[in-house]
Amino acid sequence: MQGRFSRAGAWLAALGALSLLAVLAMTPLIRYSKSWLVAEAPQPRADWIVVLGGESGERVIGAAELYHQGRAPFVFVSGEGDCLLIVKRLQMAGVPRGKIGYECQSRNTRQNAEFTRLALASHQPRRVTLVTSWFHSRRALETFRQAWPEVDWGMHIVYPGNDLYHSLAWYEAGAVLTEYLKILVYSVRYWTFK
């Protein structure tokens, strides 16, 4: 009986130590995520606004604001899952249905870029502004630049708070940590990051 308790205690101590190490390793990744994951690329005018699926709240608001500011005459939605919901919410936000295009097949950021290129190539855009979440901005921008280098890609970043300063990375810690893994995969698989 004594051996079972000491073995269980050793396992619990090891588990506790591993948990502490994991927290210590994750803390700087989250703490500095706003420096490491954010890609700024402001663009005063564009031919299209491309809003990426995966989050249909802040991204819709960001795309609608750009449209109403006259920053681009058209909005394109890319991504399966919430694609048609984003289209509907853009209309609710006052973007005319005739000014919205979409593709609802892409399942990841790489496919967003490839399918957007296929859908918009006939329009021959020169400048396109992407709209996505702050933690997704670096990978999205690099992926679209690589997939369609002839286009000047801008970035409009959205946050769950008013701005990057007020947006707490801890609030989105799961998405932030997952983004680091996705960046690693993209850098190896697609040579997106040099």
Side-chain angles (χ1 to χ4, degrees):
M1 199 65 151
Q2 180 79 10
R4 266 195 226 167
F5 286 124
S6 60
R7 192 176 311 149
W11 278 105
L12 284 174
L15 183 61
L18 286 174
S19 298
L20 180 61
L21 286 173
V23 168
L24 291 174
M26 287 187 276
T27 299
L29 292 176
I30 293 170
R31 169 70 176 90
Y32 298 106
S33 60
K34 292 177 184 172
S35 298
W36 297 340
L37 298 179
V38 172
E40 301 280 352
Q43 204 170 41
R45 285 281 298 148
D47 301 309
W48 285 83
I49 297 162
V50 173
V51 58
L52 301 181
E55 192 286 315
S56 56
E58 288 93 9
R59 294 180 189 183
V60 170
I61 293 167
E65 286 175 347
L66 291 178
Y67 175 81
H68 290 302
Q69 291 168 6
R71 304 271 287 277
F74 301 101
V75 179
F76 188 79
V77 179
S78 179
E80 74 165 359
D82 57 355
C83 174
L84 296 178
L85 176 62
I86 291 174
V87 170
K88 182 177 180 179
R89 287 185 174 172
L90 283 167
Q91 290 177 268
M92 291 170 64
V95 179
R97 177 62 189 92
K99 300 288 186 172
I100 304 170
Y102 63 90
E103 69 79 18
C104 298
Q105 303 302 311
S106 57
R107 296 179 180 204
N108 58 47
T109 305
R110 181 66 179 194
Q111 288 182 356
N112 289 143
E114 291 168 352
F115 295 174
T116 296
R117 181 178 184 160
L118 288 172
L120 297 184
S122 64
H123 299 282
Q124 299 178 340
R126 290 175 293 139
R127 291 181 308 278
V128 178
T129 299
L130 294 171
V131 178
T132 193
S133 303
W134 67 271
F135 55 83
H136 182 229
S137 62
R138 181 167 307 282
R139 182 168 56 96
L141 186 59
E142 292 299 322
T143 301
F144 274 79
R145 283 178 173 167
Q146 184 189 48
W148 202 355
E150 300 83 11
V151 171
D152 178 17
W153 292 98
M155 176 60 69
H156 180 76
I157 302 167
V158 297
Y159 313 94
N162 293 337
D163 55 28
L164 184 57
Y165 177 76
H166 291 98
S167 173
L168 295 175
W170 290 105
Y171 172 75
E172 297 174 302
V176 167
L177 293 173
T178 301
E179 187 61 27
Y180 284 110
L181 293 174
K182 290 177 179 179
I183 285 174
L184 179 63
V185 168
Y186 272 58
S187 65
V188 171
R189 187 169 181 188
Y190 304 118
W191 299 98
T192 301
F193 301 101
K194 296 172 175 90

